[in-house]
Amino acid sequence: MQKQQWKKIWVGSAGNMVEWFDWFVYASFSTYFAASFFPSGNPTAQLMNTAGIFAVGFFMRPVGGWLLGRVGDRKGRKAALTLTVTLMSASAVLIAVAPTYAVAGYGGAAVLLVARLLQGLSVGGEYAASATYLTEASDPSRRGFASSFQYVSMTAGQILGLGLQIVLQRTMSEDALHSWGWRIPFVIGALGAAVIFYLRRNMLETDVYEESADDTAAEDKGTIKALLRHKREAFLVIALTMGGTVAYYTYTTYLTKYLSNSAGLPKQTATLVSFCALIVFACLQPLAGMLSDRIGRRPLLITFAVGSTFLTVPIMTLLQHAGSFWPALGLSLLALVVVTGYTSINACVKAELFPTGIRALGVALPYAIANALFGGTAEYVALWFKDGGIESGFYWYVAGCAAVSLVVYLTMRETKDLDLNRVGKGTDTPAPAPVDAKVS
């Protein structure tokens, strides 16, 4: 692949890694700070409280999707990407300095809540801005490959978070981690976001955005009014995201807690399983993206939905009785191979549905709504089933969401060969020769 193309991928996805590091360390370190912000008692109840605040962050993502999607369509992808990383840095600082329940009562939880609201705003816009940038900046024949690096960078952020957790688990005592060690990743996240802010200020727009010739009037770009002219596509984004986001958060952010809280594995073993599985998962994304550039997006999406519908219940059941590192790793890898059919290409599929003048908002708002309803609540729903003594009900819930998305995948059109400059003009055509993006 040409050096310039790799540079585009790096510019489009590096900040995404830091954003998702900050987003995911909340989930991966919540087992250590849950007791710091809520009264002592049932550990599962404390986790449910922190999971509830985690879910609140997801409910801010539609707001962030609307605000930052509007910025991305009206002011450019660069403006939106710079603003998202600023919000994420601020939220990481707030969590790092939040007072505990012993010091400020529920005041600490309130600070935690504000920080998650800021994170929700940030990530609500980050996904769409980076998905749009990577899709627009790539060679039309390599859009699947280029956009797959969005989940490479997202997963890399989580791998870094888990890697840091492993280091801290092996260098600090359990008491120190519960007392103050959990603050370290949020300090690192804030510093990383500041570095990415500097890098993104030197980023230029894609040619597709600057040379947009779609029918969206200047005053309508990035508006709900313009989005409503694409209601079918917006609904399609929500429906195709439903099964994928539930499965993704089940086997990534929730997996470590599931292995320690339900399967009975030591926290260190559960963290190592997630860490190793995610490394393999990240490596699979570009391979699946390249495959979609050859055979299309729909075959991969359908494979994911069929696998998730029929394999979720047996995989989760077996994971609960895995007992040790290797069986847990093997089952986790099987689940993530299935999920790759969705994660590797969902970003470009969504971007390929909308014209340039409404692309960022068209991806951001429906996707954020789907994540608020299904992805953000996945962990809380799982813990709710567990607290009610019917944990297996969650397995069927995940499978059912995948089944709904399967219906959508079977009926949607193929988007691989569409010309991004002509989407929405009523004459969608195959993509022309490569379109270069100007990147400093």
Side-chain angles (χ1 to χ4, degrees):
M1 198 171 184
Q2 294 181 353
K3 181 180 179 181
Q4 185 66 12
Q5 188 69 18
W6 282 113
K7 187 176 182 180
K8 298 172 190 175
I9 292 173
W10 162 248
V11 171
S13 61
N16 202 34
M17 177 181 68
V18 176
E19 291 256 2
W20 288 92
F21 170 87
D22 288 340
W23 180 262
F24 282 122
V25 291
Y26 179 97
S28 61
F29 278 85
S30 63
T31 54
Y32 291 104
F33 67 71
S36 297
F37 294 102
F38 300 99
S40 60
N42 186 343
T44 299
Q46 290 177 335
L47 282 175
M48 287 183 69
N49 286 327
T50 53
I53 293 179
F54 183 76
V56 166
F58 275 86
F59 282 103
M60 284 302 292
R61 286 174 66 164
V63 180
W66 168 58
L67 290 174
L68 296 169
R70 180 181 174 89
V71 171
D73 285 327
R74 297 180 74 89
K75 303 297 183 181
R77 317 311 187 203
K78 173 187 174 180
L81 286 169
T82 303
L83 183 54
T84 61
V85 78
T86 303
L87 293 172
M88 186 60 76
S89 180
S91 67
V93 170
L94 283 177
I95 297 176
V97 302
T100 64
Y101 181 82
V103 173
Y106 284 107
V111 173
L112 196 66
L113 177 62
V114 171
R116 287 299 293 175
L117 293 176
L118 289 177
Q119 284 190 336
L121 286 173
S122 174
V123 176
E126 171 68 26
Y127 174 89
S130 60
T132 300
Y133 183 85
L134 288 170
T135 302
E136 290 181 347
S138 61
D139 181 322
S141 66
R142 294 175 179 262
R143 289 200 298 250
F145 173 75
S147 65
S148 72
F149 280 85
Q150 180 167 47
Y151 269 81
V152 172
S153 58
M154 286 173 60
T155 306
Q158 189 173 4
I159 289 171
L160 289 174
L162 287 171
L164 178 60
Q165 187 173 18
I166 291 172
V167 170
L168 294 179
Q169 286 173 339
R170 282 158 173 72
T171 58
M172 299 181 68
S173 68
E174 189 81 0
D175 288 341
L177 272 173
H178 282 276
S179 177
W180 60 272
W182 59 266
R183 298 181 186 272
I184 294 174
F186 297 103
V187 174
I188 294 174
L191 294 174
V195 172
I196 296 302
F197 173 82
Y198 172 78
L199 293 176
R200 283 186 167 178
R201 292 191 63 184
N202 296 319
M203 189 171 106
L204 299 180
E205 299 295 343
T206 65
D207 285 344
V208 171
Y209 176 80
E210 292 191 330
E211 300 171 5
S212 172
D214 67 57
D215 294 332
T216 307
E219 64 273 15
D220 286 343
K221 287 184 176 181
T223 63
I224 299 296
K225 175 184 176 182
L227 181 60
L228 289 176
R229 291 199 287 268
H230 303 276
K231 292 188 289 290
R232 181 182 180 279
E233 288 79 8
F235 174 77
L236 186 59
V237 170
I238 293 175
L240 70 86
T241 300
M242 178 181 177
T245 191
V246 171
Y248 176 73
Y249 281 99
T250 296
Y251 295 120
T252 55
T253 58
Y254 180 61
L255 180 64
T256 304
K257 284 186 281 295
Y258 179 74
L259 291 175
S260 62
N261 202 30
S262 296
L265 294 180
K267 287 182 181 178
Q268 293 87 343
T269 302
T271 303
L272 187 60
V273 167
S274 293
F275 180 78
C276 294
L278 287 173
I279 290 177
V280 177
F281 178 65
C283 294
L284 290 174
Q285 304 309 299
L287 299 176
M290 284 191 290
L291 180 62
S292 79
D293 287 329
R294 295 180 64 88
I295 68 173
R297 321 299 188 209
R298 289 179 67 247
L300 272 71
L301 291 171
I302 291 170
T303 299
F304 150 71
V306 170
S308 191
T309 298
F310 293 103
L311 293 179
T312 294
V313 174
I315 287 175
M316 294 294 286
T317 302
L318 291 171
L319 270 174
Q320 191 172 16
H321 301 92
S324 61
F325 173 82
W326 289 108
L329 178 61
L331 290 165
S332 300
L333 285 175
L334 175 59
L336 289 173
V337 167
V338 172
V339 174
T340 294
Y342 166 80
T343 56
S344 60
I345 58 171
N346 81 93
C348 69
V349 170
K350 294 162 189 171
E352 288 166 343
L353 293 172
F354 296 94
T356 305
I358 195 63
R359 184 167 292 133
L361 180 62
V363 174
L365 186 55
Y367 172 78
I369 290 172
N371 266 273
L373 294 175
F374 303 105
T377 58
E379 181 179 328
Y380 193 85
V381 171
L383 292 170
W384 180 81
F385 274 112
K386 178 178 175 59
D387 199 51
I390 48 173
E391 189 165 21
S392 62
F394 177 66
Y395 315 160
W396 291 100
Y397 169 75
V398 176
C401 290
V404 172
S405 289
L406 174 59
V407 175
V408 177
Y409 302 153
L410 290 171
T411 56
M412 68 181 287
R413 67 175 177 173
E414 179 57 61
T415 61
K416 175 176 77 76
D417 294 321
L418 295 180
D419 179 356
L420 293 182
N421 279 315
R422 297 191 63 81
V423 173
K425 293 178 69 68
T427 57
D428 296 346
T429 60
V435 177
D436 288 331
K438 296 186 295 184
V439 182
S440 62

